[in-house]
Amino acid sequence: MEYFSSRATVRTFDPARHIAEETLREIVEKAAHAPNTGNMQLYSVVSTRDRGMKAKVSKLHYDQPAAKGADVLLTVCADTRRFDAWCEARDAQSGLNNFGGRLSAVVDASIFAQQIVTIAEMTGIGCCYLGTAMYNADDFCELLHLPEGVIPVVGIAMGYPLHEEAKGSDRLPPDAILHEETYSDYTPADIDRIYKEKESLPESEGFIKENSKSTLAQVYADIRYPAELNKAVGEKMLRQMKAGE
Amino acid sequence: MEYFSSRATVRTFDPARHIAEETLREIVEKAAHAPNTGNMQLYSVVSTRDRGMKAKVSKLHYDQPAAKGADVLLTVCADTRRFDAWCEARDAQSGLNNFGGRLSAVVDASIFAQQIVTIAEMTGIGCCYLGTAMYNADDFCELLHLPEGVIPVVGIAMGYPLHEEAKGSDRLPPDAILHEETYSDYTPADIDRIYKEKESLPESEGFIKENSKSTLAQVYADIRYPAELNKAVGEKMLRQMKAGE
């Protein structure tokens, strides 16, 4: 149980050590025992090992170091296609070709991805989620030959860690996340208390200076996750999630 | 590692054993170390222990036995509200009030929910996901006082198992899920092979008979997850995910 509090994302991988195909297959097999919607398993994963393909996938992740240096890149997809193909072959009319069905598949894919990460990390493999899979969803579909109903949700960069990573990572206190009986909306005093530790980290001051901002929240809101970016990603994803509706 | 392949959903809970508040808090604290979008932790969880509230939450889950008999009910929510409140208090303009931001929050909430389930199950607590949280998203918002930007994604029924559950659960073979380098779309022959085991389970025949259908796929497509249901759930969720856009 110690693992859960001390885990940390790994972004630098040992180029001399490789994840065996059999190891990856075992991780996927174990991860598929995670709960999912009605046991329809509305997810798939595409693995990238080929050197040329890795360069292309990494490029779609903006060549961030974790992607560029990964031993294996995974693209975990929401997948209603396999269920649809089953229905087609069995005289049934799939009801998942719509936003609601695709949203269940996004949840399934996320749960499945997290099970892969947990199992991999417990086995000593380092992982880094790549949220950029959604940013370039259309290009991923083209590159990985994803048919309609198969939508990239998250990428995972994997490999054996090059060096011991700093353990743990800063998180909001549990009472910031857990609401008992009903949701208590956050007052400015709550916000001060909840974000105090995060805002007082030495790196936070660095981020503010680097970006010529006056608060850490501005770094997130203006630089890292601005509205235009989220809106553009949302439009792309929504189009795919509604396909065939 | 044995746990991952042998885990099973628990739907019957011991009414005499209770999950201590401290235990739940520890699970949430550990689970919050799961990866998330840019360390914004775009999720919250509302716990339900109060007898009267449990009856109301269970009703919104259609009083399915796992919900009705749960010791604690959790509603795991996609949450951009906390981040927004932080931005409001720090002279920043949140960019997450749109479908794209909410979709990242749905992924974060799903990953966080799965980390809760893994930790709880490893501690001997039984869990059952309740996908019905999305079906009645609006009613959950009202009952649990969820403000705009806080969207129920999954429920989790928790408690100590009343009896030893059958271990494991049927899943598609790993090569049905893992695609190497590019996605290979499913041929009718693939479908026959992949679904063979599932279709030959004794309970599958029972489901077909009970529902007067001719294939198992029809049971799923016509009875359990029909298009009208998914479309209605999708509309509800989409409205919430776009709120304030």
Side-chain angles (χ1 to χ4, degrees):
Chain A
M1 300 300 294
E2 199 41 44
Y3 154 77
F4 292 98
S5 313
S6 64
R7 66 153 300 281
T9 293
V10 171
R11 293 185 177 83
T12 319
F13 305 104
D14 186 344
R17 288 187 70 193
H18 302 291
I19 300 167
E21 281 185 34
E22 192 48 32
T23 303
L24 181 63
R25 185 168 293 268
E26 280 172 21
I27 292 171
V28 167
E29 182 163 19
K30 282 197 174 80
H33 284 275
N36 65 81
T37 303
N39 209 8
M40 292 182 288
Q41 300 182 253
L42 304 176
Y43 52 74
S44 275
V45 54
V46 183
S47 66
T48 308
R49 289 179 177 275
D50 176 80
R51 213 184 159 85
M53 282 296 280
K54 276 208 288 186
K56 287 177 187 169
V57 171
S58 174
K59 201 176 161 197
L60 293 183
H61 289 299
Y62 305 97
D63 277 334
Q64 48 189 299
K68 215 170 172 179
D71 181 42
V72 178
L73 286 161
L74 300 183
T75 308
V76 182
C77 303
D79 187 337
T80 56
R81 166 65 196 146
R82 185 175 52 240
F83 180 83
D84 292 352
W86 184 41
C87 287
E88 280 164 28
R90 297 293 184 270
D91 196 23
Q93 192 75 39
S94 165
L96 300 180
N97 296 308
N98 50 60
F99 176 74
R102 269 33 170 292
L103 188 60
S104 295
V106 166
V107 172
D108 274 16
S110 305
I111 288 173
F112 174 62
Q114 180 53 19
Q115 205 78 338
I116 288 178
V117 166
T118 299
I119 296 167
E121 287 183 346
M122 283 186 158
T123 319
I125 294 171
C127 296
C128 177
Y129 271 104
L130 305 165
T132 34
M134 279 199 212
Y135 291 24
N136 291 313
D138 297 343
D139 298 316
F140 276 101
C141 289
E142 201 184 319
L143 180 64
L144 304 178
H145 302 179
L146 308 181
E148 186 175 295
V150 184
I151 308 171
V153 174
V154 289
I156 305 173
M158 300 177 104
Y160 288 97
L162 185 58
H163 43 69
E164 183 95 3
E165 297 282 325
K167 287 292 171 202
S169 38
D170 74 285
R171 290 291 190 266
L172 301 176
D175 72 308
I177 295 159
L178 176 61
H179 299 254
E180 288 171 1
E181 302 303 337
T182 53
Y183 191 96
S184 351
D185 203 1
Y186 302 93
T187 64
D190 291 333
I191 292 295
D192 288 347
R193 182 176 48 78
I194 289 170
Y195 284 93
K196 191 178 174 186
E197 196 187 323
K198 188 183 189 73
E199 290 175 322
S200 64
L201 294 173
E203 61 258 42
S204 296
E205 211 179 313
F207 294 139
I208 295 170
K209 274 197 184 158
E210 271 167 40
N211 293 291
S212 313
K213 293 290 169 187
S214 56
T215 67
L216 183 63
Q218 289 174 356
V219 176
Y220 277 92
D222 297 348
I223 310 288
R224 294 189 190 164
Y225 298 94
E228 314 84 75
L229 170 69
N230 290 311
K231 282 181 183 169
V233 172
E235 268 173 39
K236 239 177 241 190
M237 290 294 289
L238 189 54
R239 206 166 43 238
Q240 291 207 15
M241 291 174 78
K242 283 183 154 184
E245 203 174 273
Chain B
M1 300 301 295
E2 198 43 44
Y3 153 77
F4 292 98
S5 314
S6 64
R7 65 153 299 283
T9 293
V10 170
R11 293 186 177 82
T12 319
F13 305 104
D14 186 345
R17 288 188 69 193
H18 302 292
I19 301 167
E21 280 185 36
E22 191 48 33
T23 303
L24 181 62
R25 185 169 293 269
E26 280 172 20
I27 291 170
V28 167
E29 182 162 19
K30 282 197 175 78
H33 284 276
N36 64 83
T37 303
N39 210 9
M40 293 182 288
Q41 299 183 252
L42 304 175
Y43 51 75
S44 276
V45 55
V46 182
S47 66
T48 308
R49 290 178 176 276
D50 176 80
R51 214 184 158 85
M53 281 296 280
K54 276 208 289 186
K56 286 177 188 169
V57 171
S58 173
K59 201 175 161 200
L60 293 183
H61 289 299
Y62 305 97
D63 276 335
Q64 47 188 301
K68 216 171 171 176
D71 181 42
V72 178
L73 285 161
L74 300 183
T75 308
V76 182
C77 303
D79 187 338
T80 57
R81 166 67 196 144
R82 186 176 51 238
F83 180 82
D84 292 352
W86 184 42
C87 287
E88 281 164 26
R90 297 292 185 270
D91 196 23
Q93 193 74 39
S94 166
L96 300 180
N97 297 308
N98 50 60
F99 176 74
R102 270 35 172 289
L103 188 60
S104 293
V106 166
V107 172
D108 274 16
S110 305
I111 287 173
F112 174 63
Q114 180 53 18
Q115 205 77 338
I116 289 178
V117 166
T118 299
I119 296 167
E121 287 183 346
M122 282 186 158
T123 319
I125 293 170
C127 296
C128 177
Y129 271 105
L130 305 164
T132 35
M134 278 199 213
Y135 291 25
N136 291 313
D138 298 343
D139 299 315
F140 276 101
C141 289
E142 200 183 321
L143 180 64
L144 303 178
H145 304 180
L146 307 182
E148 187 174 295
V150 184
I151 308 171
V153 175
V154 289
I156 304 173
M158 300 177 104
Y160 288 96
L162 185 59
H163 45 69
E164 182 95 2
E165 298 282 325
K167 287 293 172 203
S169 39
D170 73 285
R171 290 292 190 267
L172 300 177
D175 72 308
I177 295 160
L178 176 61
H179 298 254
E180 289 170 1
E181 302 302 338
T182 53
Y183 191 96
S184 351
D185 203 2
Y186 303 93
T187 64
D190 292 331
I191 293 296
D192 289 347
R193 183 176 47 79
I194 289 169
Y195 284 93
K196 192 179 174 185
E197 196 188 323
K198 188 182 189 71
E199 290 176 322
S200 64
L201 294 173
E203 61 259 42
S204 296
E205 210 179 314
F207 294 139
I208 295 169
K209 274 196 184 157
E210 272 167 37
N211 293 291
S212 312
K213 294 291 169 187
S214 56
T215 68
L216 183 63
Q218 290 174 356
V219 176
Y220 277 91
D222 297 348
I223 311 288
R224 294 189 189 166
Y225 298 94
E228 314 85 74
L229 170 69
N230 289 312
K231 281 181 184 170
V233 172
E235 269 173 37
K236 238 176 242 190
M237 290 294 289
L238 188 55
R239 206 166 43 238
Q240 291 206 14
M241 292 175 77
K242 283 184 156 185
E245 202 173 273

